[in-house]
């Protein structure tokens, strides 16, 4: 989905780490406000293409449509996706015009084309960010996986920056085939042969639902286990978090620990959509799926090509595979990209989340953060498509102001 530069430049004004929906949202909002900055930034992504990881994850889990309504997307015009879909109305699904996956992919490609961004992704994995002293102010050196480096005046971290969350018992399991116990990020339903297998899926969020539906479609029987009763909600956070209804009080809260608690309460550990619950209940009636709620695994032993599972309520199970749809965790203190920034500019970190300024800037330097790590300033939807827009609205004014000031200083 991109035409890559055939070389790695040695410098850029703005280096954006990542080329997913957050990065795409940021640059379209930046160009809308200041078209002159069209050649002031580059994206760095190991795939070398826009939206690669996003598309890979949707394909791997065979997700048919987005959970977010059609107004949430990378283009600054909130109605752009609906306009794009005028000849494809069947791909906007009820109840809130949820875009079909292919429609959203095609729309993002249209956004990339309209904003002339096809050749702006450099195929390079950023391994380390170093701080440089420069006579015109601080600079960053991005060390790349192939040994090359690039110097940037400003950096935006627009990657997911999250690590798989694994239950404690996983670390106690003995040797087993790697494909028989894996996190949902490692599962690719495409091409899997599962006929006759018993699969334990752990988790109460929408990902576990997609995995269950995909496994059942391939002839497997599924045990869906969750540590609490399954929650049924249209969205993963209440719509009030998109505007002043909830955000006004959240942003007025001066205590960062209280904000972190509000974020955790709002997301509340994952939920299923009503449409997904309908599919799962049908599978349960057809004896293809068993619910086991308010239960957690105590131990799993790989024996004779099967898992022997013991649970905290005394039940025991046998299965062929275990898939962990247990979510991800955010912790900036263990992010290797941020280690030198943390050393040079130590700032408060609350439950793994950095305390950024109102422009989502790391205090003391020109590094900005998007996604879940910006949640203390953006709110519970920080990692969502709507959060990408909200983050862009905070970051773009600072990028423009800094760019104008730098240009004036250079011409003085």
């Amino acid at each position: 989905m991109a035409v890559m530069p055939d070389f790695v430049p040695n410098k850029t004004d703005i280096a954006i780490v990542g080329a997913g929906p957050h990065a795409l949202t940021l640059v379209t909002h930046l160009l809308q406000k200041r078209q002159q900055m069209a050649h002031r930034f580059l994206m760095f992504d190991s795939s070398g293409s826009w939206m690669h990881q996003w598309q890979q994850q949707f394909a791997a889990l065979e997700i048919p449509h987005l959970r977010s309504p059609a107004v949430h997307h990378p283009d600054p015009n909130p109605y752009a996706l609906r306009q794009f879909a005028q000849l494809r109305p069947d791909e906007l699904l009820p109840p809130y015009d949820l875009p079909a996956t292919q429609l959203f992919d095609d729309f993002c490609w249209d956004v990339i084309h309209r904003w002339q961004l096809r050749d702006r992704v450099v195929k390079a994995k950023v391994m380390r960010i170093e701080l440089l002293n420069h006579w015109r102010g601080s600079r960053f050196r991005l060390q790349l996986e192939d040994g090359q480096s690039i110097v940037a005046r400003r950096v935006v971290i627009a990657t997911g920056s999250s690590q798989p969350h694994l239950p404690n018992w996983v670390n106690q399991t003995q040797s087993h085939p790697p494909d028989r116990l894996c996190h949902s990020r490692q599962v690719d339903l495409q091409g899997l042969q599962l006929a006759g297998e018993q699969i334990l899926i752990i988790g109460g969020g929408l990902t576990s639902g997609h995995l269950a539906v995909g496994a059942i479609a391939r002839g497997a029987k599924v045990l869906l286990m969750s540590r609490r009763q399954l929650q049924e909600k249209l969205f993963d956070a209440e719509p009030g978090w998109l505007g002043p209804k909830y955000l006004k009080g959240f942003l007025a809260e001066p205590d960062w620990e209280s904000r972190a608690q509000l974020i955790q309460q709002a997301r509340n550990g994952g939920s299923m959509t009503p449409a997904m619950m309908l599919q799962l209940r049908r599978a349960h009636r057809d004896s293809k799926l068993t619910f086991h709620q308010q239960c957690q695994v105590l131990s799993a032993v790989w024996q004779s090509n099967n898992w022997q599972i013991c649970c905290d309520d005394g039940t025991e199970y046998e299965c062929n595979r275990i898939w962990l749809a247990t979510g991800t965790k955010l912790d900036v203190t263990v992010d290797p990209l941020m280690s030198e920034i943390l050393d040079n500019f130590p700032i408060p970190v609350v439950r793994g989340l950095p305390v950024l300024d109102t422009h989502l800037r790391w205090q003391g330097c020109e590094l900005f953060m998007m996604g879940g790590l910006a949640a203390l300033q953006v709110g519970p939807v920080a990692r969502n498509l709507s959060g990408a827009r909200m983050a862009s609205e905070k970051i773009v004014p600072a990028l423009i102001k800094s760019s104008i000031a730098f240009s004036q200083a250079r011409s003085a």
Side-chain angles (χ1 to χ4, degrees), residues 73-86:
H73 53 71
D75 194 87
N77 175 7
Y79 305 108
L81 177 50
R82 281 202 177 100
Q83 292 166 359
F84 181 81
Q86 283 180 348

Side-chain angles (χ1 to χ4, degrees), residues 122-332:
V122 177
K123 186 176 183 179
K125 183 177 181 179
V126 179
M127 304 299 292
R128 182 180 173 193
I129 300 176
E130 299 175 289
L131 196 69
L132 303 174
N133 288 321
H134 188 275
W135 66 276
R136 280 183 175 158
S138 296
R139 297 288 188 275
F140 300 93
R141 177 186 288 129
L142 281 61
Q143 297 286 358
L144 309 180
E145 190 174 35
D146 63 1
Q148 298 186 70
S149 65
I150 179 169
V151 174
R153 196 165 65 86
R154 294 168 289 176
V155 173
V156 181
I157 306 295
T159 59
S161 300
S162 60
Q163 299 298 318
H165 173 71
L166 303 177
N168 292 332
W169 58 264
V170 172
N171 297 322
Q172 299 163 8
T173 56
Q174 303 299 316
S175 178
H176 58 81
D179 66 329
R180 297 295 161 146
L181 171 60
C182 48
H183 190 268
S184 57
R185 280 189 173 182
Q186 301 166 300
V187 179
D188 189 345
L189 291 168
Q190 302 171 103
L192 277 182
Q193 304 294 324
L194 303 175
E197 291 197 22
Q198 303 273 350
I199 302 178
L200 169 62
I201 300 175
I202 299 175
L206 191 55
T207 296
S208 62
H210 288 303
L211 288 174
V213 169
I216 291 165
R218 286 160 174 78
K221 288 195 173 182
V222 168
L223 171 63
L224 184 58
M225 184 180 294
S226 55
R227 59 185 169 82
R228 61 178 189 180
Q229 289 293 121
L230 294 175
Q231 308 291 310
E232 190 172 329
K233 295 194 299 185
L234 275 171
F235 308 114
D236 54 3
E238 292 296 323
W241 284 108
L242 302 177
K245 182 176 180 181
Y246 296 153
L247 278 178
K248 185 176 180 181
F250 175 82
L251 295 175
E253 172 56 65
D255 182 68
W256 299 109
E257 177 64 32
S258 296
R259 287 200 195 189
Q261 289 176 5
L262 287 169
I263 292 165
Q264 188 172 4
Q265 291 166 10
R267 295 195 70 88
N268 201 21
S271 60
M272 299 279 190
T273 62
M276 178 57 75
M277 283 303 300
L278 180 63
Q279 290 187 72
L280 297 179
R281 290 189 184 106
R282 284 174 177 165
H284 176 67
R285 286 198 300 269
D286 295 338
S287 301
K288 296 176 181 178
L289 179 144
T290 302
F291 293 106
H292 196 157
Q293 303 175 74
Q294 295 180 305
C295 174
Q296 296 189 72
V297 171
L298 286 180
S299 67
V301 177
W302 179 253
Q303 183 178 312
S304 303
N305 266 356
N306 282 301
W307 286 107
Q308 310 299 322
I309 309 294
C310 295
C311 301
D312 61 356
D313 61 359
T315 55
E316 296 183 356
Y317 296 99
E318 188 175 286
C319 63
N320 304 106
R321 300 173 192 258
I322 304 174
W323 290 344
L324 303 169
T326 46
T328 58
K329 55 185 177 182
L330 292 160
D331 188 350
V332 73

Side-chain angles (χ1 to χ4, degrees), residues 328-362:
T328 58
K329 55 185 177 182
L330 292 160
D331 188 350
V332 73
T333 65
V334 298
D335 187 337
L337 278 184
M338 301 305 299
S339 59
E340 189 159 327
I341 302 300
L342 272 163
D343 289 343
N344 283 278
F345 299 101
I347 63 173
V349 176
V350 180
R351 299 194 187 191
L353 303 176
V355 177
L356 308 170
D357 74 10
T358 55
H359 293 293
L360 309 188
R361 177 170 40 206
W362 195 277

Side-chain angles (χ1 to χ4, degrees), residues 32-159:
Q32 182 198 40
K33 296 293 185 183
R34 193 167 177 83
Q35 184 64 38
Q36 303 95 304
M37 296 185 70
H39 299 288
R40 302 287 291 274
F41 55 81
L42 285 173
M43 271 57 62
F44 294 84
D45 189 276
S46 57
S47 72
S49 58
W50 283 106
M51 302 289 291
H52 177 79
Q53 185 178 353
W54 171 282
Q55 291 166 349
Q56 227 178 22
Q57 289 176 340
F58 268 66
L61 299 182
E62 297 182 334
I63 301 174
H65 61 80
L66 278 67
R67 194 175 189 174
S68 302
V71 291
H72 303 308
H73 53 71
D75 194 87
N77 175 7
Y79 305 108
L81 177 50
R82 281 202 177 100
Q83 292 166 359
F84 181 81
Q86 283 180 348
L87 300 178
R88 301 164 65 173
D90 292 345
E91 294 181 72
L92 291 177
L93 309 174
Y96 291 105
D97 285 347
L98 309 179
T101 299
Q102 188 59 56
L103 173 68
F104 188 80
D105 288 350
D106 292 344
F107 171 74
C108 287
W109 173 242
D110 182 68
V111 170
I112 291 162
H113 177 74
R114 281 191 289 106
W115 292 94
Q116 300 178 12
L117 298 169
R118 289 185 59 178
D119 62 347
R120 309 311 297 278
V121 181
V122 177
K123 186 176 183 179
K125 183 177 181 179
V126 179
M127 304 299 292
R128 182 180 173 193
I129 300 176
E130 299 175 289
L131 196 69
L132 303 174
N133 288 321
H134 188 275
W135 66 276
R136 280 183 175 158
S138 296
R139 297 288 188 275
F140 300 93
R141 177 186 288 129
L142 281 61
Q143 297 286 358
L144 309 180
E145 190 174 35
D146 63 1
Q148 298 186 70
S149 65
I150 179 169
V151 174
R153 196 165 65 86
R154 294 168 289 176
V155 173
V156 181
I157 306 295
T159 59

Side-chain angles (χ1 to χ4, degrees), residues 19-26 50-51 54 73-74 104 108 158 370 385 388 392:
H22 279 69
L24 184 56
T25 303
L26 176 67
W50 283 106
M51 302 289 291
W54 171 282
H73 53 71
F104 188 80
C108 287
M370 303 183 75
L385 290 170
S392 298

